[in-house]
Amino acid sequence: MLKSIHLQNFRSYKKADFNFSEKSTLIVGPNTIGKSNLLEAIFLISTGKSFRTEKDFQMLEQGKEVGRVSAMVDDLKLEVVITNGNVGGVKSQYKKFLVNGVAKRRVDFAGNLLSVLFSPSDLDIIVDSPTLRRNFLDNVLEQVDREYRVASIAYVKALRQRNALLELARETGARNEKQLEYWDSLVIENGQIITSKRNQFIDFVNSAKKDIFEFIILYDKSLISKERLDQYKVEERLSGVTLVGPHRDDFSIQMKGKHIANDVKYFGSRGQQRLAILQLKALEITFIEEKMGKRPLLLLDDIFSELDSGHINLVLEKAGKQQTIITTTHKEFVGKLFLKQMEVIELENGKKD
Ligand SMILES: Nc1ncnc2c1ncn2[C@@H]1O[C@H](COP(=O)(O)OP(=O)(O)O)[C@@H](O)[C@H]1O
Ligand SMILES: [Mg+2]
């Protein structure tokens, strides 16, 4: 359970403290007051990453050299220090992780606070680009599986090196076979771990009971192997990039129906697409619970303005089942009965009341 969080020079926060109870917490405040910033800080404590940017220094309050987020999660003190890369004229890491004051790598820091985030951009998972769908899979699996975290990092790194070599081959015709072989084996080994674990999650979703919306996921996987790389050798040389592997994965959501063509992306109504996402998010919680033996913290960032009242109530029913932190512009989105069971924090001028 997340007991408290302390922010310092984090985005719009100079200094702020928040305490949370086991119940649901509703954070209310107008636009740009800092609601998403606060959830970003909690997500950072949970995953070691931002859900809004790849550039970590952007989380630092503009003009500052060092910022920090620290949180009490049960009896653990989890802390992330962010810098602009140059503290007092000395080169420094952009991010540092500490557990009870002891420095950790991100792969070991992440996973101490399990969480599921639901933000308005999740509502586009089905219709938007494959990147969003791959990020979704990564977020679920990185939470529950250290081996997946290690494989993801190693894969991205090896892919970058391999692409640099392929680009060089494209430009100069020089193909450094020995070096390429080394990176080939790394992308194959780590890529296959990623594919198989993504497959396990998708199998879980497909066999799970669905109480909101019936669907199955079709995993459009881009398998990586020695044979597949050999097969694409000529094309890769021409394009200068790696053409197969989990960085090219995608999935689609298929409604159950009497027709064959039932992709929710193309045939579902807006309402059906929303229900599918709500169901997918609910199953993300169940998956984490099944793997880790406890329910994750649920973070809902300003999604109510995007949903109708029926969908809001579906979400709020799920919210009652574990610690939940919700942000919203208007308390009125939450029905009286639900509101009675919540702690309310009102944000004003970037501070809490
Ligand atoms: N690195 C930063 N330093 C200072 N202020 C920032 C930084 N990043 C974002 N902000 C400010 O944070 C505010 C947005 O906060 P946000 O949490 O997204 O609001 P909301 O309550 O609408 O979710 C904006 O005023 C923006 O200028
Ligand atoms: Mg926001």
Side-chain angles (χ1 to χ4, degrees), residues 9-13 29-40 52 57-63 301-302 327 329 347:
N9 298 345
F10 185 87
R11 293 222 186 245
S12 55
Y13 294 93
N31 281 322
T32 74
I33 201 78
K35 301 184 298 296
S36 298
N37 294 346
L38 174 56
L39 287 206
E40 185 181 31
R52 296 204 287 189
F57 67 87
Q58 289 178 351
M59 291 187 282
L60 192 62
E61 186 190 349
Q62 269 164 27
D301 190 21
D302 215 356
T327 71
T329 45
L347 289 180

Side-chain angles (χ1 to χ4, degrees), residues 215-258:
F215 66 80
I216 57 157
I217 297 183
L218 281 190
Y219 183 15
D220 178 12
K221 55 179 162 257
S222 178
L223 287 170
I224 192 161
S225 64
K226 182 91 186 63
E227 293 69 38
R228 290 260 291 166
L229 286 180
D230 281 345
Q231 199 183 328
Y232 283 88
K233 212 165 174 171
V234 178
E235 282 99 325
E236 282 194 337
R237 206 173 179 154
L238 292 170
S239 63
V241 290
T242 303
L243 293 171
V244 295
H247 65 292
R248 296 249 160 163
D249 274 358
D250 198 359
F251 67 81
S252 62
I253 292 188
Q254 308 282 322
M255 301 185 273
K256 285 212 171 146
K258 39 184 187 264

Side-chain angles (χ1 to χ4, degrees), residues 43-309:
F43 190 84
L44 177 67
I45 287 291
S46 170
T47 63
K49 295 199 287 197
S50 164
F51 66 83
R52 296 204 287 189
T53 178
E54 307 252 299
K55 303 202 168 80
D56 295 323
F57 67 87
Q58 289 178 351
M59 291 187 282
L60 192 62
E61 186 190 349
Q62 269 164 27
K64 292 289 189 317
E65 288 187 336
V66 188
R68 81 184 67 235
V69 178
S70 61
M72 288 307 299
V73 174
D74 297 323
D75 293 328
L76 282 185
K77 186 180 183 193
L78 304 177
E79 190 169 3
V80 184
V81 181
I82 312 156
T83 80
N84 65 352
N86 192 315
V87 181
V90 181
K91 231 179 139 210
S92 66
Q93 286 172 279
Y94 287 113
K95 260 188 314 196
K96 273 178 236 166
F97 304 99
L98 300 111
V99 177
N100 287 336
V102 179
K104 297 278 175 189
R105 294 192 299 159
R106 187 174 77 79
V107 285
D108 298 311
F109 179 83
N112 281 304
L113 173 65
L114 300 168
S115 73
V116 166
L117 169 79
F118 194 172
S119 74
S121 67
D122 288 312
L123 294 169
D124 300 325
I125 287 179
I126 293 175
V127 292
D128 218 317
S129 73
T131 311
L132 232 61
R133 290 184 284 282
R134 289 192 293 267
N135 285 346
F136 168 76
L137 295 174
D138 284 342
N139 279 336
V140 182
L141 287 158
E142 284 186 10
Q143 295 259 351
V144 298
D145 196 331
R146 186 181 186 279
E147 200 193 351
Y148 190 89
R149 296 198 282 275
V150 173
S152 294
I153 292 167
Y155 184 76
V156 169
K157 198 172 142 197
L159 193 63
R160 205 176 293 141
Q161 300 290 341
R162 190 172 189 278
N163 285 345
L165 281 178
L166 289 173
E167 177 60 22
L168 197 70
R170 192 178 70 89
E171 280 178 359
T172 66
R175 206 180 143 96
N176 192 336
E177 294 291 347
K178 261 243 120 34
Q179 259 185 306
L180 209 51
E181 244 171 60
Y182 173 74
W183 295 116
D184 281 2
S185 70
L186 279 181
V187 289
I188 292 168
E189 183 192 328
N190 291 292
Q192 288 181 345
I193 293 174
I194 294 170
T195 308
S196 104
K197 287 177 188 281
R198 285 180 178 175
N199 219 1
Q200 282 169 21
F201 171 68
I202 288 166
D203 284 347
F204 169 87
V205 170
N206 286 344
S207 59
K209 198 177 149 293
K210 304 186 180 61
D211 54 352
I212 299 174
F213 190 74
E214 223 21 270
F215 66 80
I216 57 157
I217 297 183
L218 281 190
Y219 183 15
D220 178 12
K221 55 179 162 257
S222 178
L223 287 170
I224 192 161
S225 64
K226 182 91 186 63
E227 293 69 38
R228 290 260 291 166
L229 286 180
D230 281 345
Q231 199 183 328
Y232 283 88
K233 212 165 174 171
V234 178
E235 282 99 325
E236 282 194 337
R237 206 173 179 154
L238 292 170
S239 63
V241 290
T242 303
L243 293 171
V244 295
H247 65 292
R248 296 249 160 163
D249 274 358
D250 198 359
F251 67 81
S252 62
I253 292 188
Q254 308 282 322
M255 301 185 273
K256 285 212 171 146
K258 39 184 187 264
H259 305 289
I260 306 161
N262 265 318
D263 192 328
V264 183
K265 177 173 180 175
Y266 302 111
F267 297 97
S269 68
R270 196 101 183 111
Q272 285 173 317
Q273 291 170 354
R274 299 254 136 126
L275 287 176
I277 292 295
L278 293 181
Q279 183 66 78
L280 195 58
K281 282 279 153 185
L283 289 173
E284 186 182 345
I285 298 176
T286 327
F287 179 75
I288 293 176
E289 181 179 25
E290 195 152 293
K291 282 262 164 187
M292 309 303 285
K294 53 190 167 195
R295 285 177 83 83
L297 168 66
L298 179 58
L299 302 169
L300 305 174
D301 190 21
D302 215 356
I303 53 167
F304 293 158
S305 50
E306 313 270 340
L307 301 174
D308 64 35
S309 62

